[in-house]
Structure formats: C-alpha cells, structure tokens
C-alpha cells in the first residue's frame, strides 16, 4: 500500500478534508480538488535568448494557469519552473518545445520535482 503525505506526516489514508477543498499528497505530487498538481524544472537550449522567450513563456504560462518563474542563464539557456495541474504544466512544456516565433528550440530538459505550491504567479526572474 502506498503511503500518502498529509500535513507533513505519512499515513495509509489518502484523504484530508479542508474547508471547500480536498488535498492529498504523495512524493512529487499533490492533488487538489481531485486534480494532480506537479512541478517541472526545465532548461531550454537553442536560440532562446534575445528572442522574447522569457516574456512569451510568462504569457503562455499565465494562459495555461501555471505558476512559477523563468530566467536566462549565463550559458545561453533559459531555465523555468512550472507548477500547476499536470495537464497545464504539460501544455506549458509543450509550448516551450516550440517557443516564440523568432526562437529555435534544440532541446528541453525536464526534471520532475516535488510540488510545493510556493508560487502565486508566474514571474520573470534574474
């Protein structure tokens, strides 16, 4: 039987009721209102700096209802963290694989991490 994390402790029961919401967590995911919440850390390679990649990623992420951040790295790549519903994060990652019109995306490396819920918006950071 898989253990679920509730309020900082593990239990065999997977339900925790809070006012107007349902939250259940297990390693690397959380479910809110019966929807799986995930976190993805992505590094995008190619012609991704100087082509409005960060601004367009922010616009796309906000459109998908995803929170997190995006920034340029010194090595010429773009790094981003996306949190939200699995299907929304997947959509944001799919968008990153295409990028804005003037970009050329060669590769998107994705590392799935534990959902934290720490973000309230999607920001461009430095």
């Amino acid at each position: 039987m898989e253990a679920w994390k509730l309020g900082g402790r593990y239990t065999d029961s997977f339900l925790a009721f809070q006012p107007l919401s349902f939250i259940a967590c297990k390693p690397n995911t959380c479910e809110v209102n019966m929807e799986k919440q995930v976190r993805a850390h992505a590094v995008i390679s190619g012609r991704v700096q100087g082509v409005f990649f960060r601004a367009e990623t922010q616009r796309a992420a906000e459109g998908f209802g995803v929170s997190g951040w995006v920034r340029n790295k010194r090595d010429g790549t773009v790094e981003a963290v996306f949190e939200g519903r699995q299907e929304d994060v997947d959509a944001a990652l799919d968008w990153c694989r295409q990028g804005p019109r003037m970009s050329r995306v060669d590769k998107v490396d994705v590392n799935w991490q534990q959902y934290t819920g720490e973000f309230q918006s999607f920001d461009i950071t430095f």
Side-chain angles (χ1 to χ4, degrees), residues 19-81:
L20 301 177
S21 69
F22 161 84
I23 299 176
C25 297
K26 63 181 179 177
N28 298 324
T29 65
C30 268
E31 295 181 18
V32 178
N33 294 327
M34 304 286 290
E35 296 182 32
K36 185 175 181 182
Q37 301 287 308
V38 298
R39 177 184 179 114
H41 176 259
V43 177
I44 303 101
S45 304
R47 183 172 177 232
V48 293
Q49 290 192 13
V51 292
F52 302 100
F53 203 98
R54 290 175 299 155
E56 293 300 320
T57 299
Q58 180 184 40
R59 184 186 324 208
E62 289 171 345
F64 294 124
V66 173
S67 61
W69 53 263
V70 62
R71 68 179 172 196
N72 284 343
K73 293 179 62 177
R74 290 184 183 196
D75 65 1
T77 62
V78 169
E79 178 181 31
V81 170

Side-chain angles (χ1 to χ4, degrees), residues 7 9 11 18 21 31 34 40 47 49 54 62 68 76 79-80 87 89 95 100 108-109 113-114 116 119 121 124-125:
R9 69 184 204 289
T11 179
Q18 294 184 346
S21 69
E31 295 181 18
M34 304 286 290
R47 183 172 177 232
Q49 290 192 13
R54 290 175 299 155
E62 289 171 345
E79 178 181 31
E87 62 193 43
V89 171
W95 183 91
V108 177
D109 291 319
Q113 301 174 338
Q114 180 156 347
T116 66
F119 307 112
S121 60
I124 297 173
T125 63

